[in-house]
Amino acid sequence: MPLLDALSTYIDAQTALTAATDLFKSFLPESPDACVAIFEYPGMAPRHNFGASSNFRTEHPKFQVICRDVAGEYDLARSQAETIFLLLEKLTETDLSGVRYHSIEALHSPFALEPDAKGRVLVSCSYIAMKATG
């Protein structure tokens, strides 16, 4: 299962967020104002664990979580980002939707981005995962 699907399923099960309602993959829709989006971006090259001919490798995808809320509601967006941060940071040696993740690590703490065109608050955090394949 692709990374964003696994993360969406996990976050949906562990929080009050609901996939395709206020939790989205690869896009931040115009509405609702209060929502969360997960975006994939390039990670590190895969590492072959038992030589170049091995099917066993570790992938290192990176992803970003953006939490949005109405203008002036920084505390709510920040709280949502912190909840997801604490949820993901504790994952080690966990199966998500049938795929083994050795770890998920934040690359930094959640922080505020510039508001969007409608002045809505955006809080973001980026992560790197260590995913087993093969």
Side-chain angles (χ1 to χ4, degrees), residues 39-119:
F39 297 90
E40 244 179 330
Y41 64 94
M44 297 168 28
R47 294 192 181 143
H48 293 271
N49 297 340
F50 298 105
S53 63
S54 172
N55 288 333
F56 296 100
R57 68 177 195 258
T58 305
E59 294 180 359
H60 303 273
K62 290 182 181 177
F63 62 96
Q64 179 183 33
V65 175
I66 298 178
C67 301
R68 182 178 71 198
D69 213 328
V70 297
E73 292 296 337
Y74 171 78
D75 291 342
L76 293 174
R78 178 73 164 102
S79 175
Q80 190 70 56
E82 186 70 22
T83 296
I84 294 170
F85 174 81
L86 294 173
L87 180 68
L88 296 179
E89 264 290 296
K90 70 179 182 182
L91 287 180
T92 58
E93 301 305 330
T94 302
D95 288 341
L96 297 179
S97 301
V99 176
R100 186 68 164 182
Y101 287 84
H102 299 298
S103 66
I104 294 179
E105 297 178 17
L107 298 174
H108 49 79
S109 296
F111 69 100
L113 299 172
E114 291 291 322
D116 71 5
K118 291 188 173 184

Side-chain angles (χ1 to χ4, degrees), residues 3-25:
L3 173 67
L4 294 187
D5 291 336
L7 290 168
S8 178
T9 298
Y10 182 71
I11 293 169
D12 180 293
Q14 300 295 318
T15 69
L17 294 167
T18 302
T21 300
D22 56 2
L23 174 62
F24 301 94
K25 301 176 293 186

